[in-house]
Amino acid sequence: MSVRTGVLVNGQWTTRTMDIHHILAKNREEEPAELPTQALPEGNTPPVLGVLTRTITRSPIYNWIIPARIRHKDKNDVVCIGDNYIEIKELTAEDGHLRHVVMKADFASTIRAARVFGTARRPAVSGLDAIIKAESEEMDLDERSGPKVPPQILVLALESKELVFLFAFDNEDGQVEFLTSHRPLPDQRSYLEQLGKHVAVDPKSRALAVAACEGSFTLYALKSMDQLRRDMECPGFLEPNGLLPIQEERHLTVDGVILKMEFLYPPTGDDDHVILMLIVSQDNQTRLLWYDWDCSTSLRTASRLGTFGQPVMRLEQLPLLLIPLTISSAFMLICEKTISVYRDVLTGNATRKSISFHSRDAPITPGSSRRAPLWTHWARPVRVEAHTSKHDDLYICREDGMVRFLEISEESEIMVDASMKAGILGCNIDTAFASLDLGLNRDDLLFAGGDMSDGGLYLFQARQSPEYLQCIPNWAPSIDFITAAVVPPENLASKRSAPSAATGPSRDRIFAGAGRGNKYGAVVELRFGLQARMGATIDLEDCGTLRLWTLPDLSGEGLYFLLSHSMHSSLLHMSTDTSTVSGGLDEATGLDLAYPTLAAGATPEGLVVQVTERSIRATTILTEKPRFAWNTENKILVAAVDGKTASVITVIPAGDAIMVHLGRVAVHDEMVIVSDIGHALVLQSEPTCMSVETVETALFLFIGTAAGKLEIFHMDLVTGLVPLPEQNLALGPGLATFAVCESLAMTTTEKGAMLVCGLRNGCILAFQVDHDPDPANKLSLSRKTSITVGTTSVTVKADILRPNSVFVLCGIDFCRLEFSSRHSLSPTVYNIWLTDRIRVAYQQKSMQTVTQVEYQRHLETSGMIGSVVCISGTELIMAALDDESGPGVVPRRLRIGGTPTRIIFSKHLNKLVVSYTTLEMRPISQGNGHGRSSGKRSLRPTIQIIDPDQDSIKTEPETYLNHEMDQSDSVRSVFPVEWNPTEGNRMYHMLVLSTQINRSTPHHAAGRVLFFNLRISDEGRVDVKLKHQIRHDKAVYSVAAFGASSLIYCCGNELILQTLRLPDKKWLRPIKHMLGSQSIHISVAGLFVYVTTAAHSLTILKFENEGLRPQFSDRIARAGMHHFNTRDPSITLVSDRACSVVGLWRPPRRRSDGSAITLFEAELPKSITRIRKGTPSNPWYSPLAMQHETFHGSSADGTFYQLTLIPETSWRLLRFIQNLAVRNSLVCPFECLNSPRKHIEPSTTKAQYMHVDGDILSRLLELGGVSLLRAMLAQEPQGDHRSFDYATAAVRYGRFCELVHDLVGLEGHEDLVQAAVDFMNSLLLPGL
């Protein structure tokens, strides 16, 4: 039922049709979100404000790495499992690198354990077999289309008390999809008894076991893979929960804590035998328990071998690793000091052999821990079946990067034939460790996910050190991060205060303290975009390279680079393997290198065509074949070469006229000629750029002119050029009315061709190209889209590998513009970041020109085709663009000498100030009777000043803090703050450090506030000098500047305000205020002081009457983490340890209970430790999104979030769409099973309802965007959902249209769904 009623919209009454559910929801909203102790005073009405959160990047920490072919038998995949996501990577046998395939992060829960079951791993094909397989795949594409059961299936145990079975497949569009099913786990009384802590799979995939931390486990009998393939032919298999691999289950109990659980390999000749082993601890005694049964019978026959189990030795009470061996049903226990091998387990009393290896390998970083490093994981390389029948090879890794190789033999008495040191990896290792398969007769490849350090791929060759192949970035733990508007070095060097035209304005960049230890601590710059991995680099003698082309080498030995400089051209040759570069090819090339090159290209036959300012050349480089040379006295203004049609177009002045000539290159009787086609045409204005483009099957010539117009010609290769109506490049209202085109490129989208123009004013203009072939190849340009990239000329270059994309160069920006009608009509721009595997701190410079390596048959196996080639300064760089991974975070690592704790940006220095702790070992001589000496671990806090734009850290004077302290003191942490006290027009630049000092006396700490003067010398060196210190008998936690010359900080639980009287440099009497708990973070806004405390959330104080007076506080005593003040000083974001972010509003008038009002509350998967202002770093960031205030938040595990404050109209539409999406099994396959029964209409009755989950909206865009949202709106309410939905889909759609109208005012708009998707897309774009 629905009624017509009056609604107040944007200050005007409007008649709307509303159904009964909408009216009831509006009535519920009239109830206050909080129940205050008193009525709000007049004028204290809180604003209606929501928050949109989105995960920018997930934690880079992998908990497990599992090689598993869960897509197809020929896909050499690796499954990387994070805290709440899985990522599939594919191993390429050609170069041994991993490429990203897909990520799945919609589990809505933490992953507790993971395993795979199915067909056992087989060695990958390689060499000639790989080529044969690739050819067979091309012939077998139709047969493989659609979902099929792969060799293996992944099983996950979730925190939400369910098992998830899943595999992936490539759909008809080439996208990867997942097929999942859920199996609830029985609910238990306590978390320790909840199943899911341990998951084990039988080696032959006949059974699955899931255990709790203590008390019980469950056995599952699995179907065979053949049975699952037969099930797939049945109806409903592809429906949700259609995958049913379990055929029987049995729950068992056990006394004690379950430490380890694994299935053992069955004895030889007894393949039906299943053996499950548990290591259980009870009453300070660890025992081994075995259960066995025949898989051909029921699980009811499973029984324990023996009654009480077999006790282990004292040194094995807490084993580190349990490794089932492939021979003799044996297993291995790896402990801190021993390796023990057990065999004959079916007797009920296994025999044990042990060897000691505790003292063989010293720690790689002595002193990093008080204990010896532990063994964390193991991996089994793939071997041929003939070898595995009697031998077992294992790699075990230690947490500091040490790897040992174990050879197990059935013939050996202790079974361990050899235990040798395999190598040292350049990273810390936890449980993310695996052996990958490159194929038979190939070396072993180990994949280590870094633990508080970068991970990597390492190739292990016999009797050689491991070869580092690929970096796996890891910026966790991220204890602190900042956003910094670093002034470009070019501006500093020229002493200009205003931004230069070349570099543009300063932009916010994100720097985070990451890693741990002297070896792996670093400052990481987090950049968002596409990664281009640098390969070959060439140092050039000339720094004025303007253009660049890649040309074929018909000898098949490599390729040529033709470079155009300001006064001449040059030619370089690079070998196919990029190892050899030769220059100085001035003679006998057949090219004109005396003048700058305007255009160049190659015909399909390999004939190179070059146009310079004074000539046209056609040749095959360095061969004796016929050549063509034509010279002119008139300077050629612009030129274009179309290699596919062998066409040459030149623009040459003739008296007062400017003529356009069309010619074509041909070979007749071993002679090269360039013949004119048609008559030359007059150009109306001086040309600035020219390009030949194909629209459908017709050729067109586009010429940009200095008059701000685009002249268009149809190219008929028989009759010549045919002029078409010109196009004006005026940008329209609110923008420049005159624009000159500097470059042109054509792209192809789902809706046709797009012409992209790079303008001199820093903008990109895109036109929809409409072609009418009859009767005279008419061409019309329409539907202009304008994007501001920078402030200098824009160069665009078509991407030969992606028809819908163009590369863009503008000042310091190197990016790619993509057109995709899937989500939005507007193009998307992504930065491209060059990275160097060796130079991890490589800082990208401005690019002068860019091109790509085009197809050449002899380069097929080199991986060079499509590589990006660019000129940066005096360096030519070839890089492979990582298209498969898509846009994401591209870290840049600046290594420091310790564990970072705090990081700030000094505007005065234009540098980063980083505090970190360095571990030192102080030797202590002692006679212990063994001739050995030991040392004392000492943490040395350090302040380092870093130039963020250097390729490597140039060490400024480091400030060591413990040189003035007693030897018995230990500085635990240091917190730097920049302080600029002001007296009149004079400003002092100080660095203030608050310290926490551990005294030798137990349970007693002290603190200091240290004041350092900062001065930049004439040489640009930063001088740091200690000027003053304030001692306290309690630790000093946080500091903030207050007023012109005051500081406020927390000492213990006391808040202290110190004021410096600048004329006589005297400190006034401090003002103090006692807090409920220690301060975590302090900020100041005018006279208000905001303090986040460890146990009492946010407290707001005001400086008045010469004291600090409490004004407001959070009504809930949260365990505070951080806070940040918004543009509106009355609204503050507060994060806590319970994974919440709340918006607190400070009313104009103080309430009697002194409480602030909670506007919204977002519940996130992780606690946010830092909140910073999220100013977009790119000028092309959506203007619509710029209207909303955005913040960045980080978690300690490296997860970064984007938080956007949204007004009521935006919140209502986005929350409406989210409530709709949560019910959709495609967008939310896990939330939809347990979705709360709330109406789709948004409600303001709870602060939690004001939160919009941007991750859900992002998935909606990725999975279909407009089409999916349209289908969701059109779906009729069904079953018991009708009481929580609108009466009909038509009523629901009507309410959706009202919300879109209220937001963007599109009365009568032709496509409201498209408008809503465009709005979501603009808000969800990462502002990095």
mmCIF file with all atom_site columns, all heavy atoms in Angstrom, residues 334-346:
data_model
loop_
_atom_site.group_PDB
_atom_site.id
_atom_site.type_symbol
_atom_site.label_atom_id
_atom_site.label_alt_id
_atom_site.label_comp_id
_atom_site.label_asym_id
_atom_site.label_entity_id
_atom_site.label_seq_id
_atom_site.pdbx_PDB_ins_code
_atom_site.Cartn_x
_atom_site.Cartn_y
_atom_site.Cartn_z
_atom_site.occupancy
_atom_site.B_iso_or_equiv
_atom_site.pdbx_formal_charge
_atom_site.auth_seq_id
_atom_site.auth_comp_id
_atom_site.auth_asym_id
_atom_site.auth_atom_id
_atom_site.pdbx_PDB_model_num
ATOM 1   N N   . ILE A 1 334 ? 60.184 -31.196 14.608 1.00 0.00 ? 334 ILE A N   1
ATOM 2   C CA  . ILE A 1 334 ? 61.246 -30.198 14.653 1.00 0.00 ? 334 ILE A CA  1
ATOM 3   C C   . ILE A 1 334 ? 61.064 -29.409 15.944 1.00 0.00 ? 334 ILE A C   1
ATOM 4   O O   . ILE A 1 334 ? 60.026 -28.769 16.157 1.00 0.00 ? 334 ILE A O   1
ATOM 5   C CB  . ILE A 1 334 ? 61.197 -29.252 13.446 1.00 0.00 ? 334 ILE A CB  1
ATOM 6   C CG1 . ILE A 1 334 ? 61.196 -30.043 12.144 1.00 0.00 ? 334 ILE A CG1 1
ATOM 7   C CG2 . ILE A 1 334 ? 62.352 -28.254 13.488 1.00 0.00 ? 334 ILE A CG2 1
ATOM 8   C CD1 . ILE A 1 334 ? 62.484 -30.731 11.835 1.00 0.00 ? 334 ILE A CD1 1
ATOM 9   N N   . CYS A 1 335 ? 62.064 -29.449 16.802 1.00 0.00 ? 335 CYS A N   1
ATOM 10  C CA  . CYS A 1 335 ? 62.035 -28.712 18.056 1.00 0.00 ? 335 CYS A CA  1
ATOM 11  C C   . CYS A 1 335 ? 63.167 -27.689 18.073 1.00 0.00 ? 335 CYS A C   1
ATOM 12  O O   . CYS A 1 335 ? 63.922 -27.556 17.113 1.00 0.00 ? 335 CYS A O   1
ATOM 13  C CB  . CYS A 1 335 ? 62.153 -29.676 19.244 1.00 0.00 ? 335 CYS A CB  1
ATOM 14  S SG  . CYS A 1 335 ? 60.870 -30.958 19.234 1.00 0.00 ? 335 CYS A SG  1
ATOM 15  N N   . GLU A 1 336 ? 63.280 -26.943 19.142 1.00 0.00 ? 336 GLU A N   1
ATOM 16  C CA  . GLU A 1 336 ? 64.290 -25.897 19.207 1.00 0.00 ? 336 GLU A CA  1
ATOM 17  C C   . GLU A 1 336 ? 65.697 -26.465 19.080 1.00 0.00 ? 336 GLU A C   1
ATOM 18  O O   . GLU A 1 336 ? 66.559 -25.866 18.444 1.00 0.00 ? 336 GLU A O   1
ATOM 19  C CB  . GLU A 1 336 ? 64.155 -25.112 20.513 1.00 0.00 ? 336 GLU A CB  1
ATOM 20  C CG  . GLU A 1 336 ? 62.917 -24.244 20.592 1.00 0.00 ? 336 GLU A CG  1
ATOM 21  C CD  . GLU A 1 336 ? 62.947 -23.320 21.796 1.00 0.00 ? 336 GLU A CD  1
ATOM 22  O OE1 . GLU A 1 336 ? 63.992 -22.668 22.016 1.00 0.00 ? 336 GLU A OE1 1
ATOM 23  O OE2 . GLU A 1 336 ? 61.947 -23.260 22.526 1.00 0.00 ? 336 GLU A OE2 1
ATOM 24  N N   . LYS A 1 337 ? 65.939 -27.636 19.653 1.00 0.00 ? 337 LYS A N   1
ATOM 25  C CA  . LYS A 1 337 ? 67.301 -28.153 19.708 1.00 0.00 ? 337 LYS A CA  1
ATOM 26  C C   . LYS A 1 337 ? 67.468 -29.499 19.017 1.00 0.00 ? 337 LYS A C   1
ATOM 27  O O   . LYS A 1 337 ? 68.603 -29.960 18.863 1.00 0.00 ? 337 LYS A O   1
ATOM 28  C CB  . LYS A 1 337 ? 67.746 -28.279 21.165 1.00 0.00 ? 337 LYS A CB  1
ATOM 29  C CG  . LYS A 1 337 ? 67.745 -26.963 21.931 1.00 0.00 ? 337 LYS A CG  1
ATOM 30  C CD  . LYS A 1 337 ? 68.214 -27.152 23.367 1.00 0.00 ? 337 LYS A CD  1
ATOM 31  C CE  . LYS A 1 337 ? 68.215 -25.826 24.121 1.00 0.00 ? 337 LYS A CE  1
ATOM 32  N NZ  . LYS A 1 337 ? 68.676 -25.970 25.513 1.00 0.00 ? 337 LYS A NZ  1
ATOM 33  N N   . THR A 1 338 ? 66.395 -30.120 18.625 1.00 0.00 ? 338 THR A N   1
ATOM 34  C CA  . THR A 1 338 ? 66.507 -31.475 18.070 1.00 0.00 ? 338 THR A CA  1
ATOM 35  C C   . THR A 1 338 ? 65.577 -31.662 16.879 1.00 0.00 ? 338 THR A C   1
ATOM 36  O O   . THR A 1 338 ? 64.600 -30.940 16.694 1.00 0.00 ? 338 THR A O   1
ATOM 37  C CB  . THR A 1 338 ? 66.154 -32.535 19.130 1.00 0.00 ? 338 THR A CB  1
ATOM 38  O OG1 . THR A 1 338 ? 64.802 -32.330 19.564 1.00 0.00 ? 338 THR A OG1 1
ATOM 39  C CG2 . THR A 1 338 ? 67.100 -32.457 20.319 1.00 0.00 ? 338 THR A CG2 1
ATOM 40  N N   . ILE A 1 339 ? 65.929 -32.683 16.073 1.00 0.00 ? 339 ILE A N   1
ATOM 41  C CA  . ILE A 1 339 ? 65.043 -33.239 15.057 1.00 0.00 ? 339 ILE A CA  1
ATOM 42  C C   . ILE A 1 339 ? 64.794 -34.688 15.438 1.00 0.00 ? 339 ILE A C   1
ATOM 43  O O   . ILE A 1 339 ? 65.743 -35.459 15.603 1.00 0.00 ? 339 ILE A O   1
ATOM 44  C CB  . ILE A 1 339 ? 65.665 -33.174 13.654 1.00 0.00 ? 339 ILE A CB  1
ATOM 45  C CG1 . ILE A 1 339 ? 65.849 -31.722 13.200 1.00 0.00 ? 339 ILE A CG1 1
ATOM 46  C CG2 . ILE A 1 339 ? 64.801 -33.911 12.652 1.00 0.00 ? 339 ILE A CG2 1
ATOM 47  C CD1 . ILE A 1 339 ? 66.474 -31.602 11.834 1.00 0.00 ? 339 ILE A CD1 1
ATOM 48  N N   . SER A 1 340 ? 63.533 -35.050 15.573 1.00 0.00 ? 340 SER A N   1
ATOM 49  C CA  . SER A 1 340 ? 63.181 -36.420 15.942 1.00 0.00 ? 340 SER A CA  1
ATOM 50  C C   . SER A 1 340 ? 62.331 -37.036 14.848 1.00 0.00 ? 340 SER A C   1
ATOM 51  O O   . SER A 1 340 ? 61.403 -36.397 14.345 1.00 0.00 ? 340 SER A O   1
ATOM 52  C CB  . SER A 1 340 ? 62.415 -36.455 17.274 1.00 0.00 ? 340 SER A CB  1
ATOM 53  O OG  . SER A 1 340 ? 63.208 -35.918 18.322 1.00 0.00 ? 340 SER A OG  1
ATOM 54  N N   . VAL A 1 341 ? 62.663 -38.280 14.489 1.00 0.00 ? 341 VAL A N   1
ATOM 55  C CA  . VAL A 1 341 ? 61.921 -39.012 13.471 1.00 0.00 ? 341 VAL A CA  1
ATOM 56  C C   . VAL A 1 341 ? 61.255 -40.211 14.139 1.00 0.00 ? 341 VAL A C   1
ATOM 57  O O   . VAL A 1 341 ? 61.931 -41.003 14.814 1.00 0.00 ? 341 VAL A O   1
ATOM 58  C CB  . VAL A 1 341 ? 62.829 -39.474 12.328 1.00 0.00 ? 341 VAL A CB  1
ATOM 59  C CG1 . VAL A 1 341 ? 62.041 -40.281 11.315 1.00 0.00 ? 341 VAL A CG1 1
ATOM 60  C CG2 . VAL A 1 341 ? 63.496 -38.276 11.659 1.00 0.00 ? 341 VAL A CG2 1
ATOM 61  N N   . TYR A 1 342 ? 59.930 -40.334 13.957 1.00 0.00 ? 342 TYR A N   1
ATOM 62  C CA  . TYR A 1 342 ? 59.161 -41.444 14.520 1.00 0.00 ? 342 TYR A CA  1
ATOM 63  C C   . TYR A 1 342 ? 58.678 -42.314 13.373 1.00 0.00 ? 342 TYR A C   1
ATOM 64  O O   . TYR A 1 342 ? 58.207 -41.822 12.345 1.00 0.00 ? 342 TYR A O   1
ATOM 65  C CB  . TYR A 1 342 ? 57.960 -40.919 15.311 1.00 0.00 ? 342 TYR A CB  1
ATOM 66  C CG  . TYR A 1 342 ? 58.295 -40.267 16.633 1.00 0.00 ? 342 TYR A CG  1
ATOM 67  C CD1 . TYR A 1 342 ? 58.796 -38.967 16.676 1.00 0.00 ? 342 TYR A CD1 1
ATOM 68  C CD2 . TYR A 1 342 ? 58.110 -40.946 17.827 1.00 0.00 ? 342 TYR A CD2 1
ATOM 69  C CE1 . TYR A 1 342 ? 59.087 -38.354 17.878 1.00 0.00 ? 342 TYR A CE1 1
ATOM 70  C CE2 . TYR A 1 342 ? 58.397 -40.344 19.046 1.00 0.00 ? 342 TYR A CE2 1
ATOM 71  C CZ  . TYR A 1 342 ? 58.888 -39.046 19.064 1.00 0.00 ? 342 TYR A CZ  1
ATOM 72  O OH  . TYR A 1 342 ? 59.182 -38.453 20.255 1.00 0.00 ? 342 TYR A OH  1
ATOM 73  N N   . ARG A 1 343 ? 58.787 -43.628 13.576 1.00 0.00 ? 343 ARG A N   1
ATOM 74  C CA  . ARG A 1 343 ? 58.290 -44.580 12.595 1.00 0.00 ? 343 ARG A CA  1
ATOM 75  C C   . ARG A 1 343 ? 57.614 -45.735 13.322 1.00 0.00 ? 343 ARG A C   1
ATOM 76  O O   . ARG A 1 343 ? 57.617 -45.809 14.542 1.00 0.00 ? 343 ARG A O   1
ATOM 77  C CB  . ARG A 1 343 ? 59.421 -45.073 11.698 1.00 0.00 ? 343 ARG A CB  1
ATOM 78  C CG  . ARG A 1 343 ? 60.546 -45.750 12.438 1.00 0.00 ? 343 ARG A CG  1
ATOM 79  C CD  . ARG A 1 343 ? 61.805 -45.886 11.591 1.00 0.00 ? 343 ARG A CD  1
ATOM 80  N NE  . ARG A 1 343 ? 61.551 -46.544 10.311 1.00 0.00 ? 343 ARG A NE  1
ATOM 81  C CZ  . ARG A 1 343 ? 62.494 -46.687 9.384  1.00 0.00 ? 343 ARG A CZ  1
ATOM 82  N NH1 . ARG A 1 343 ? 63.724 -46.230 9.606  1.00 0.00 ? 343 ARG A NH1 1
ATOM 83  N NH2 . ARG A 1 343 ? 62.214 -47.287 8.249  1.00 0.00 ? 343 ARG A NH2 1
ATOM 84  N N   . ASP A 1 344 ? 57.003 -46.632 12.571 1.00 0.00 ? 344 ASP A N   1
ATOM 85  C CA  . ASP A 1 344 ? 56.274 -47.779 13.133 1.00 0.00 ? 344 ASP A CA  1
ATOM 86  C C   . ASP A 1 344 ? 55.135 -47.313 14.045 1.00 0.00 ? 344 ASP A C   1
ATOM 87  O O   . ASP A 1 344 ? 54.927 -47.846 15.140 1.00 0.00 ? 344 ASP A O   1
ATOM 88  C CB  . ASP A 1 344 ? 57.220 -48.700 13.919 1.00 0.00 ? 344 ASP A CB  1
ATOM 89  C CG  . ASP A 1 344 ? 58.363 -49.217 13.067 1.00 0.00 ? 344 ASP A CG  1
ATOM 90  O OD1 . ASP A 1 344 ? 58.137 -49.439 11.865 1.00 0.00 ? 344 ASP A OD1 1
ATOM 91  O OD2 . ASP A 1 344 ? 59.476 -49.379 13.596 1.00 0.00 ? 344 ASP A OD2 1
ATOM 92  N N   . VAL A 1 345 ? 54.376 -46.324 13.584 1.00 0.00 ? 345 VAL A N   1
ATOM 93  C CA  . VAL A 1 345 ? 53.332 -45.767 14.444 1.00 0.00 ? 345 VAL A CA  1
ATOM 94  C C   . VAL A 1 345 ? 52.156 -46.721 14.598 1.00 0.00 ? 345 VAL A C   1
ATOM 95  O O   . VAL A 1 345 ? 51.432 -46.655 15.594 1.00 0.00 ? 345 VAL A O   1
ATOM 96  C CB  . VAL A 1 345 ? 52.853 -44.413 13.878 1.00 0.00 ? 345 VAL A CB  1
ATOM 97  C CG1 . VAL A 1 345 ? 53.976 -43.408 13.855 1.00 0.00 ? 345 VAL A CG1 1
ATOM 98  C CG2 . VAL A 1 345 ? 52.255 -44.579 12.489 1.00 0.00 ? 345 VAL A CG2 1
ATOM 99  N N   . LEU A 1 346 ? 51.937 -47.617 13.638 1.00 0.00 ? 346 LEU A N   1
ATOM 100 C CA  . LEU A 1 346 ? 50.768 -48.492 13.715 1.00 0.00 ? 346 LEU A CA  1
ATOM 101 C C   . LEU A 1 346 ? 50.899 -49.549 14.796 1.00 0.00 ? 346 LEU A C   1
ATOM 102 O O   . LEU A 1 346 ? 49.917 -50.225 15.118 1.00 0.00 ? 346 LEU A O   1
ATOM 103 C CB  . LEU A 1 346 ? 50.539 -49.158 12.354 1.00 0.00 ? 346 LEU A CB  1
ATOM 104 C CG  . LEU A 1 346 ? 50.142 -48.206 11.216 1.00 0.00 ? 346 LEU A CG  1
ATOM 105 C CD1 . LEU A 1 346 ? 49.956 -48.969 9.918  1.00 0.00 ? 346 LEU A CD1 1
ATOM 106 C CD2 . LEU A 1 346 ? 48.885 -47.438 11.569 1.00 0.00 ? 346 LEU A CD2 1
#
